[in-house]
Amino acid sequence: MKKINELIEDLKSSGMVSAIVGQLSDEIVRSIEFDSRKVTSGSLFCCVPGVHNDGHKFAVAAVKSGATALLCEHIPDEVEKDVPIILTPDARSALGAIASSFHDHPSESLSMIGVTGTNGKSTTTYMIRSIMRGRGKVGLLGTITYDDGNKEIEADRTTPEGSEIQSFLSEMVRSCCNGCIMETSSHGLVQGRLSGCLFDVAVFTNLTPEHLDFHGDMERYFEAKKSLFTRYMKPDCKKIFNLDDPYGKRLLRECAGSDVVTYSSKSSSATVTGSDIALDVGGVLFDLTIEGRTNRVRLPLIGGYNVSNALAAAAACYSMGFSYDEIQHGLENMPQVPGRMERYIFEKKGCAIVDYAHTPDALSNLLSAAREICKGRLIGVFGLGGERFRGNRWAMGEIAAQKADHLVLTMDNPRGEDPLSIVGDILEGVRKVEGNSYDVVIDRKDAIYKALDMSKEGDLVVISGKGPEKYILIKGKKTPYSDSESVRSWGKDRGIPWK
C-alpha cells in the first residue's frame, strides 16, 4: 500500500503527468488496476485504451466500485468531479511506471534478463533459467509460463500489462528469487508495457517477418525490438547480439560499446561460438567455445537451430559472471520446453514433434531441422490462424510442400474465419510445388491421428503452429485442446508406448 501523493510524485519524476484535475488527499492506494471488474475500495484505476476496449469507458464503473483516483489520457465522460484524475499522455506506459512505484521498484532488486527477437525467445529463456537455477530461485515471464519462484501458471500473453509485470516481479522479490528472465515482445515494447522495468542483460536472437499487420513494415518492427536496448537498460548493462542474423549485426553497429557480448555458430570472432554440430532424435552435440575454452556439450533438445539458442543463453549467463562449468551443466540438464521441438518417440512407429513454429522462417527452420534427423518420411501437420497476416498462408504452404513428403492440413486458431477458407489459401502455396502430397482434415486432433496412423518406424510427424497452447480459438470462444495431449492420447488409444 502507498499514499497516492507518493505515487504521483514518482510519476511526475518520470515526466508522465500532464495535469491533475481535482484535489488529491493522503488516501492510501491499495491496488493498481486496469480492469474495472477488479477494482475494489482504495484501487487506483488506469484508463488504458486498447484495440477493442477503451478503459475510459469504464471509469464510472470503477468509481462506483470504490476507485480512489483515475489515471487517464483525457477526462472520462460522466465521472464525478470530486474524484481526482491524473492526466497522462500515455496511460499504458504510466500504468507500468506507477505500478513499479507501488511495488517499490522490484526490477531494481532483481537481476533482470530480457530476451527479444522473432524466433527462439521461449527456448532461450528456459535455457537461461536452467543455468541460473544452479544458484537458486529465478523467475520467468514468457509465452509459455509465468513463474514467480514459488508457483507457475499458464501464460496469458508473452508480455503482460505493466501492472501485472510489476506484481509478478514483486512476488519474485518476496520469493527470494535471484533474478527474472523475461520474453519482451515487440507489442509489449511499443505499447509501453515494460515501463517501470530496467534490465541488466538484454538478448537479441533474430528478426524475420512477423506481426507486420501490427508494425506495418520490417523497419518499424526492428525499431520496436531495438527499443529494448535503448530505453530499458540499467547503467551497467550487457547487450547480447546474434552475429548470424543481419539485424543482430545492425544492432551491433548501432549499439556498439564495451557492454556488448556476441554469439555465433558461423563466425569465430564472436565472444561465444558453437561448432562441429551433430544431430539425432535424442538431441544435439556441439563444441561450445567461450573466450578460448572449448568443451563438447550434449543438448537434450533436437534441432540444429537450438545451438543458436544455447549460445544466446551461454552468452547471457557468461556476461553475468556464470562459470563455463555452470553454463554447461545448465544446458545439459535442462528439461524439454513445452511445445518447442517437444518429441515423442513411439515404438515401431514414427517420432512426433510438437512445435510452435507459426511463421514462414520458423516453419522452414523446423522442417529443415527435422529433415536432418529423419530416416524415413517427413509428415507435416499444420494450419494457420485466422485474422492474421494472410500472405503467410501461401508462403508457408509452399515451404511445407517443398520440405515435407506429405502434409495433413488442418485448423489452428481460425478466430472469426472459416477454417476451410484458410486451408484454401495455404493450398495456393502447396500446389506451386510439383509432386505435392496432402490431406485436409479440419479437426486438429483427427489430423494428428491420421498423420501418426500413417507413420512408420523412422518417420517424423511434425505438428506445428500451436506448440504449448491449450485451446483452439473459434469465434471468440476458447475450446480446450492441446497438440501434446492429442499425441499422447493417440499413443494410449493405439496401445503404443513412447519415450
Side-chain angles (χ1 to χ4, degrees):
M1 296 185 291
K2 285 282 187 75
K3 289 184 178 181
I4 191 168
N5 284 325
E6 294 178 45
L7 298 176
I8 300 309
E9 286 305 312
D10 251 9
L11 201 60
K12 283 181 177 178
S13 67
S14 302
M16 293 188 181
V17 177
S18 53
I20 297 174
V21 179
Q23 288 295 113
L24 290 173
S25 66
D26 282 335
E27 286 191 50
I28 297 296
V29 174
R30 300 181 184 278
S31 71
I32 309 290
E33 306 293 351
F34 65 91
D35 184 339
S36 62
R37 295 167 295 185
K38 296 180 179 180
V39 171
T40 57
S41 179
S43 296
L44 187 151
F45 179 63
C46 300
C47 301
V48 177
V51 175
H52 301 292
N53 289 306
D54 186 343
H56 294 80
K57 295 180 180 179
F58 302 93
V60 172
V63 171
K64 288 181 179 178
S65 296
T68 296
L70 302 174
L71 181 63
C72 310
E73 293 184 1
H74 58 81
I75 299 174
D77 296 333
E78 301 179 4
V79 171
E80 297 177 13
K81 294 181 180 179
D82 58 347
V83 177
I85 298 174
I86 303 103
L87 292 175
T88 179
D90 184 346
R92 183 170 261 119
S93 292
L95 169 63
I98 204 165
S100 175
S101 177
F102 179 80
H103 291 289
D104 294 320
H105 306 288
S107 72
E108 295 178 4
S109 302
L110 295 163
S111 292
M112 296 285 294
I113 302 94
V115 180
T116 199
T118 305
N119 301 314
K121 295 189 298 297
S122 295
T123 301
T124 300
T125 58
Y126 268 68
M127 290 175 171
I128 295 171
R129 182 173 66 166
S130 182
I131 297 168
M132 291 183 68
R133 276 179 167 174
R135 294 188 182 182
K137 286 185 180 180
V138 62
L140 187 151
L141 296 176
T143 305
I144 300 172
T145 188
Y146 301 150
D147 177 1
D148 67 9
N150 281 336
K151 64 182 183 299
E152 289 192 45
I153 61 173
E154 183 181 352
D156 180 55
R157 65 176 84 180
T158 299
T159 305
E161 286 290 355
S163 58
E164 295 172 314
I165 290 174
Q166 298 304 323
S167 179
F168 278 118
L169 295 180
S170 180
E171 285 298 320
M172 291 175 199
V173 172
R174 280 193 284 272
S175 300
C176 299
C177 287
N178 295 324
C180 171
I181 309 132
M182 189 187 305
E183 290 185 53
T184 59
S185 69
S186 57
H187 288 69
L189 288 162
V190 168
Q191 294 175 342
R193 294 184 215 154
L194 290 170
S195 181
C197 291
L198 290 175
F199 292 88
D200 297 271
V201 178
V203 179
F204 174 81
T205 60
N206 51 65
L207 199 73
T208 59
E210 189 182 24
H211 305 309
L212 298 187
D213 52 333
F214 177 79
H215 295 290
D217 55 44
M218 286 298 290
E219 183 61 24
R220 278 180 280 189
Y221 185 28
F222 170 76
E223 289 297 330
K225 297 293 190 183
K226 180 182 173 181
S227 67
L228 172 62
F229 302 92
T230 58
R231 292 178 54 193
Y232 296 101
M233 304 302 295
K234 293 179 183 178
D236 297 323
C237 64
K238 293 293 183 180
K239 301 170 184 176
I240 316 298
F241 298 140
N242 179 9
L243 294 188
D244 296 337
D245 184 87
Y247 288 99
K249 292 178 179 178
R250 179 176 167 184
L251 279 172
L252 179 62
R253 293 192 303 269
E254 296 180 8
C255 303
S258 59
D259 56 353
V260 168
V261 176
T262 58
Y263 68 94
S264 172
S265 60
K266 299 175 182 177
S267 171
S268 59
S269 65
T271 314
V272 178
T273 62
S275 59
D276 197 12
I277 300 168
L279 311 170
D280 59 39
V281 292
V284 181
L285 196 64
F286 70 102
D287 285 346
L288 172 64
T289 302
I290 303 177
E291 290 202 337
R293 178 178 172 181
T294 302
N295 277 13
R296 198 75 172 151
V297 173
R298 177 72 179 185
L299 189 66
L301 301 177
I302 57 178
Y305 57 77
N306 273 320
V307 172
S308 183
N309 297 328
L311 297 179
C317 292
Y318 172 74
S319 75
M320 291 186 286
F322 283 80
S323 70
Y324 191 111
D325 291 336
E326 288 176 302
I327 292 169
Q328 181 171 359
H329 183 270
L331 291 175
E332 292 188 333
N333 290 278
M334 69 168 294
Q336 286 202 86
V337 182
R340 299 300 194 278
M341 290 293 270
E342 184 180 353
R343 71 184 183 278
Y344 297 85
I345 303 174
F346 292 97
E347 288 187 5
K348 298 181 180 179
K349 273 287 188 177
C351 171
I353 296 172
V354 176
D355 195 86
Y356 188 54
H358 60 287
T359 66
D361 185 67
L363 182 63
S364 178
N365 288 338
L366 171 65
L367 294 176
S368 294
R371 177 62 73 189
E372 289 180 305
I373 57 175
C374 183
K375 296 180 180 179
R377 288 194 308 165
L378 180 58
I379 302 168
V381 181
F382 83 104
L384 284 170
E387 300 174 5
R388 292 297 183 266
F389 182 57
R390 194 176 170 205
N392 279 352
R393 297 176 186 177
W394 38 88
M396 291 173 69
E398 186 173 4
I399 288 168
Q402 289 170 341
K403 294 182 178 290
D405 298 301
H406 184 77
L407 300 174
V408 182
L409 302 177
T410 185
M411 76 163 69
D412 193 315
N413 291 320
R415 297 180 176 85
E417 289 194 60
D418 178 3
L420 272 172
S421 176
I422 296 172
V423 169
D425 286 341
I426 295 170
L427 282 172
E428 287 188 31
V430 171
R431 290 172 179 145
K432 291 180 180 179
V433 179
E434 187 176 350
N436 64 77
S437 175
Y438 67 88
D439 288 297
V440 174
V441 182
I442 292 299
D443 183 280
R444 195 168 175 99
K445 182 176 180 180
D446 289 347
I448 289 172
Y449 271 52
K450 182 174 184 66
L452 288 170
D453 279 338
M454 71 172 62
S455 72
K456 299 177 181 178
E457 192 168 5
D459 291 348
L460 279 182
V461 177
V462 179
I463 304 153
S464 60
K466 293 191 65 61
E469 291 180 355
K470 295 183 178 179
Y471 60 85
I472 289 180
L473 185 58
I474 304 174
K475 295 181 179 179
K477 181 181 179 181
K478 287 185 176 181
T479 301
Y481 171 81
S482 162
D483 279 347
S484 298
E485 287 180 10
S486 292
V487 170
R488 292 191 293 266
S489 174
W490 178 85
K492 290 175 183 177
D493 289 348
R494 301 295 188 260
I496 304 173
W498 67 86
K499 61 180 180 179

